Amino acid sequence: DGGVGAIYVIFGSRVPFSSNLDYTSLNQNQGFVIKDASGILANASVGGGGDLNGDGLSDIVVTAGGNVFTVFGSNFSNTITTM
C-alpha cells in the first residue's frame, strides 16, 4: 500500500488461532493495524498501558522516536491510518 510500516495488534483468545493466521487481513475479532505512513514508528515499542482513561477497556502505549502515543481501547473495526 506504499506505507512505510505498521504495527499489528493481535487480540488474545481462549480459542487458539489457526496456524495460518494472516496478520495482513485481520478481522475485528482478531486484532487491528496501526499503519505508519510517516516512518515515525520505526523501532517502536508497544505495550499494554492498562486502563489509562478509566473506561473499563485496556489501552495500548506506543513509544517511538522520543514520542509516546496512547491508543485507547474501544470496540471498533477500523484501522488507524495516520500517526
Side-chain angles (χ1 to χ4, degrees):
D1 65 17
V4 173
I7 295 173
Y8 296 89
V9 178
I10 310 298
F11 299 142
S13 174
R14 292 175 196 238
V15 178
F17 291 115
S18 70
S19 61
N20 60 353
L21 175 67
D22 182 3
Y23 64 90
T24 62
S25 61
L26 296 171
N27 68 40
Q28 63 209 32
N29 297 314
Q30 297 170 319
F32 62 93
V33 180
I34 301 173
K35 295 181 180 178
D36 178 20
S38 67
I40 196 169
L41 296 180
N43 299 314
S45 296
V46 179
D51 181 10
L52 298 174
N53 59 349
D55 64 358
L57 298 168
S58 296
D59 304 315
I60 297 171
V61 175
V62 178
T63 60
N67 299 296
V68 178
F69 304 96
T70 302
V71 179
F72 294 111
S74 178
N75 296 321
F76 69 98
S77 60
N78 298 321
T79 57
I80 299 170
T81 56
T82 305
M83 300 258 338

